[in-house]
Amino acid sequence: MGRSLELPAARPAEVRAFRLRPPGVRFVIYLVLVIGAFVSVLPFAYMVTSSLKSYGSVITNNLWPWWPFGNEPIQWQNYIEAVQHTGWDRQWGTWLMVRYFANSLIVSGVIVAGVLITSVLAAYALAQIDLPGRDFIFLLVLATLMVPGELVLVPKVVMMFNFGWYNTYLALTVPFTVSVFGIFLLRQHFLQVPRELFDAARIDGAGHLQYLLWILVPLSRPALVVIAVLNFIWAWDAFQWPLLVTRDPSMRVLAVGLQQFMVGEGGVNTHLLMAFATMMVAPIIVLYFVAQRAFTEGFLSSGIKK
Amino acid sequence: MGRCREYLFGYALLAPALILLAVFEFFPLFYGLYISLCSWRLGCAEFIGAENYVRAFRDPQMWQALLTTATYSLMSVPVQLGLGLFFAYLLFQKVRGRELFRLVFFLPYVTSTVASAAVWSYLYNPDRGLINTVLGILGLPQPRWLAEPTGVFALIARGFGAELPAWAQGPSLALVAVFVYTTWVFVGYDITVFLAGLGNIPSELYDAARVDGASGWALFRHITVPLLSPTTFFLSIITVIGTFKAFNHIYVMTMGGPGTATTTASIYIFRQLYEFNRYGYSAALSFILFSAILVLTILQNRFAGRRVIYG
């Protein structure tokens, strides 16, 4: 699938169009692009630099209080202070910030694993087995794409109370362990694998499960990466749902923790809030630069930021 | 393996996904409808029919929230798509480091909304935010950004010593500030989609037009714009839906305030649910909001869809 989504290579026509432009125009194009890139990055630069400044330097907007323009040391201890300022989680006997991080990792991890498992299994059945009613089932699955999340928000919250899942990890994870996008993408992938491969595996004595795990899954790694990365981002970013279905500070994920820190303690300690935000964003940015192709493909083909 | 056993096996593979979808997507749809017809206290305390809906239609705050949402949407679509196309077109020229530029433009879109919204609310801080500090150095007026419920046109007019009537005040500065943040987030996505769209336009068309003596602007106006219209249409629908769903960043930056200046429909629904525990009412509001989105999408399809050219 990836091919059609790849960014277009420069074509000869564009090269010629460009060479005809006078140098002044070329300069303006680069200038505009650089300004755009600067604006894109500025808030992140502000976040990271502020997280390493003293409180005084942050509120006076001293842009560079360090050597050679100032004599402030880099305030690494802000990160430690930010962790300490979140408070203590008695349940686990650790700082709440550690708990937020752990919660986000647990929730995102379970969601990614769950989505991968349910999608691989369902996609296989839809692609490889001639089930009666298969097309109808597939249509039904696709139809759920039309159910907007906002519409089912209230009933889902009520259901969490009914199930006794309120304020538990179950509420944070289980409803998100299925992804129509994942099923769809993997089904497409599986369908592209030549049927002969299956027949050959059959002759060698492999059953459905062996064929799926040993041959299809390794072949579909790019699609699996896209699904994993997207769902990780969505889970890491989730805010409204965790806010609605958890009550205790110890059940907060990073996003909720950050917002609560902002309206409480961090509202005055800007430098600490920025350290908190940096810690939350850092894993995503690292993941982005490592797997940026999966990001682009995923966001393009899934269409929507959840 | 027998036929029957194979079928059973197939359904077993489908079961986890289907059960989850049934429980968390299909069932809540009907359950939500039921809740919206109830006076809900831990359960359906009383079946009240359409009363929640009647109340919603008589609720001036709901209309206000819908109006705010529509304003937000109306600002976002042209500006985001315009900027997105502008940058995509620049990048599509043979620009050095195009991939790096695109990566950087895409960065705000992939990072956590809550974190970046928190950072922006400090940039916007009226007293010690970076934006107002810079404006102060330049000797420009320092508006109160997210804390300013007054309309932008009214603020501008005030700068010239004039007062505008209530209907001409324009969207509140707080809402405009939220919109600027949203633009910062989504332009990178629009650029990426537009770039893919630009790549699908056959270069022979440009060559042929150039042979006929078409200039750069004519190429853009008569080839790029029409052939890009399916992409533009897709993005405009995604953007409208996105603005109607917008919640996280608005809640982090303003919680819907000051007053109700940035209380969009999704914020209003959330507050009915989270702060007042009005389950029946917020369920009814959700259905009304969804109907609004549906009508808008159909209208968009009707009117804009006609002008889309599928190359």
Side-chain angles (χ1 to χ4, degrees):
Chain A
M1 46 127 324
R3 292 285 144 227
S4 62
L5 291 167
E6 265 170 35
L7 293 169
R11 293 210 169 95
E14 274 74 49
V15 177
R16 214 164 58 216
F18 183 65
R19 290 221 175 109
L20 286 173
R21 287 178 201 287
V25 174
R26 205 183 322 172
F27 176 74
V28 171
I29 289 180
Y30 277 108
L31 187 70
V32 171
L33 287 175
V34 167
I35 291 173
F38 178 73
V39 172
S40 296
V41 171
L42 181 74
F44 296 111
Y46 176 79
M47 173 183 79
V48 175
T49 53
S50 299
S51 77
L52 296 169
K53 292 177 196 170
S54 66
Y55 176 66
S57 297
V58 173
I59 61 161
T60 54
N61 276 300
N62 186 345
L63 292 183
W64 196 271
W66 311 292
W67 188 89
F69 300 107
N71 51 8
E72 198 177 288
I74 294 179
Q75 310 283 325
W76 295 109
Q77 74 276 11
N78 283 352
Y79 284 80
I80 298 164
E81 267 181 57
V83 171
Q84 289 171 344
H85 271 71
T86 51
W88 190 254
D89 174 32
R90 254 179 276 156
Q91 199 182 358
W92 280 18
T94 180
W95 303 108
L96 267 176
M97 167 76 102
V98 178
R99 188 68 195 264
Y100 298 162
F101 231 102
N103 287 345
S104 275
L105 281 175
I106 292 170
V107 169
S108 308
V110 169
I111 289 178
V112 168
V115 163
L116 287 179
I117 293 169
T118 57
S119 305
V120 164
L121 297 183
Y124 184 79
L126 290 171
Q128 198 73 35
I129 303 175
D130 248 330
L131 287 174
R134 181 174 69 171
D135 293 342
F136 176 72
I137 293 175
F138 185 53
L139 266 183
L140 216 59
V141 169
L142 285 187
T144 58
L145 277 180
M146 304 209 287
V147 179
E150 296 59 50
L151 204 49
V152 289
L153 186 69
V154 179
K156 266 157 90 176
V157 171
V158 173
M159 282 162 66
M160 293 305 115
F161 282 105
N162 294 347
F163 292 177
W165 287 5
Y166 180 75
N167 205 35
T168 67
Y169 288 112
L170 289 173
L172 292 173
T173 52
V174 177
F176 307 99
T177 49
V178 62
S179 155
V180 177
F181 166 68
I183 296 173
F184 181 77
L185 192 65
L186 278 173
R187 180 183 165 271
Q188 301 297 98
H189 251 255
F190 292 168
L191 282 176
Q192 279 170 15
V193 177
R195 189 85 194 180
E196 292 77 43
L197 218 55
F198 179 62
D199 298 333
R202 259 281 152 90
I203 292 166
D204 289 341
H208 278 297
L209 266 184
Q210 283 98 330
Y211 174 63
L212 173 62
L213 292 180
W214 295 345
I215 297 176
L216 280 192
V217 166
L219 275 178
S220 311
R221 247 184 65 189
L224 293 171
V225 170
V226 167
I227 295 167
V229 161
L230 271 191
N231 281 283
F232 185 82
I233 300 283
W234 286 334
W236 195 259
D237 208 15
F239 171 66
Q240 190 182 28
W241 180 257
L243 193 60
L244 280 168
V245 298
T246 59
R247 176 190 52 223
D248 297 347
S250 58
M251 285 309 295
R252 285 176 191 155
V253 290
L254 272 174
V256 176
L258 179 63
Q259 189 260 349
Q260 295 291 322
F261 192 65
M262 188 179 153
V263 295
E265 188 77 34
V268 274
N269 291 312
T270 317
H271 57 314
L272 301 186
L273 185 91
M274 294 301 156
F276 194 148
T278 306
M279 284 189 265
M280 181 178 175
V281 166
I284 300 293
I285 294 196
V286 170
L287 190 65
Y288 176 54
F289 282 103
V290 171
Q292 66 95 3
R293 181 169 225 121
F295 272 77
T296 309
E297 277 188 18
F299 281 123
L300 274 185
S301 47
S302 74
I304 306 175
K305 182 174 193 175
K306 235 189 199 168
Chain B
M1 212 191 290
R3 218 18 18 156
C4 254
R5 275 191 57 195
E6 190 178 28
Y7 289 164
L8 266 182
F9 177 72
Y11 289 127
L13 291 184
L14 274 170
L18 288 187
I19 291 172
L20 285 166
L21 283 176
V23 173
F24 296 111
E25 298 289 339
F26 274 117
F27 172 69
L29 209 52
F30 303 101
Y31 195 42
L33 191 62
Y34 172 65
I35 294 173
S36 77
L37 300 174
C38 282
S39 169
W40 195 271
R41 282 186 195 82
L42 295 172
C44 192
E46 193 192 343
F47 191 82
I48 54 172
E51 205 173 291
N52 281 322
Y53 291 89
V54 174
R55 202 172 118 209
F57 282 111
R58 289 194 185 136
D59 180 355
Q61 288 188 30
M62 185 208 75
W63 291 108
Q64 185 63 46
L66 272 181
L67 187 68
T68 306
T69 313
T71 314
Y72 178 49
S73 217
L74 219 61
M75 291 191 282
S76 300
V77 174
V79 175
Q80 274 175 34
L81 266 61
L83 275 176
L85 179 57
F86 176 69
F87 278 104
Y89 202 66
L90 289 190
L91 283 179
F92 199 62
Q93 316 294 317
K94 207 197 169 213
V95 167
R96 241 173 250 205
R98 168 161 74 178
E99 203 38 24
L100 185 67
F101 275 120
R102 202 192 54 75
L103 263 179
V104 169
F105 290 149
F106 205 48
L107 195 61
Y109 182 79
V110 294
T111 45
S112 322
T113 316
V114 172
S116 65
V119 172
W120 271 80
S121 55
Y122 281 88
L123 293 177
Y124 276 137
N125 189 302
D127 306 315
R128 47 193 168 86
L130 184 61
I131 295 175
N132 272 1
T133 306
V134 172
L135 290 177
I137 292 168
L138 297 175
L140 294 167
Q142 297 162 300
R144 299 189 58 74
W145 300 115
L146 292 168
E148 181 59 75
T150 317
V152 276
F153 300 147
L155 285 174
I156 294 170
R158 227 177 261 173
F160 295 102
E163 282 296 327
L164 288 181
W167 57 267
Q169 306 246 321
S172 69
L173 183 61
L175 188 66
V176 172
V178 169
F179 146 77
V180 169
Y181 165 81
T182 321
T183 307
W184 175 77
V185 171
F186 284 93
V187 161
Y189 176 73
D190 296 341
I191 291 173
T192 305
V193 178
F194 271 131
L195 267 176
L198 285 170
N200 288 334
I201 300 177
S203 57
E204 294 77 26
L205 285 174
Y206 289 106
D207 295 337
R210 225 178 256 118
V211 168
D212 290 343
S215 66
W217 173 249
L219 293 179
F220 179 76
R221 173 73 192 78
H222 295 291
I223 296 179
T224 312
V225 169
L227 286 180
L228 212 52
S229 56
T231 310
T232 315
F233 182 57
F234 165 78
L235 282 176
S236 71
I237 288 198
I238 291 277
T239 309
V240 169
I241 294 179
T243 50
F244 270 72
K245 291 163 74 145
F247 175 82
N248 291 0
H249 56 276
I250 305 181
Y251 194 74
V252 170
M253 289 201 282
T254 66
M255 287 179 135
T260 57
T262 56
T263 301
T264 57
S266 50
I267 296 274
Y268 188 58
I269 294 173
F270 177 83
R271 296 183 72 168
Q272 294 297 320
L273 180 68
Y274 190 65
E275 286 167 24
F276 308 111
N277 288 316
R278 292 176 185 148
Y279 289 92
Y281 191 51
S282 49
L285 287 174
S286 311
F287 275 96
I288 294 173
L289 176 65
F290 172 65
S291 318
I293 299 179
L294 196 67
V295 169
L296 269 180
T297 312
I298 291 171
L299 285 180
Q300 255 180 310
N301 241 318
R302 270 277 167 78
F303 294 110
R306 248 190 246 147
R307 308 183 55 181
V308 173
I309 296 151
Y310 295 94

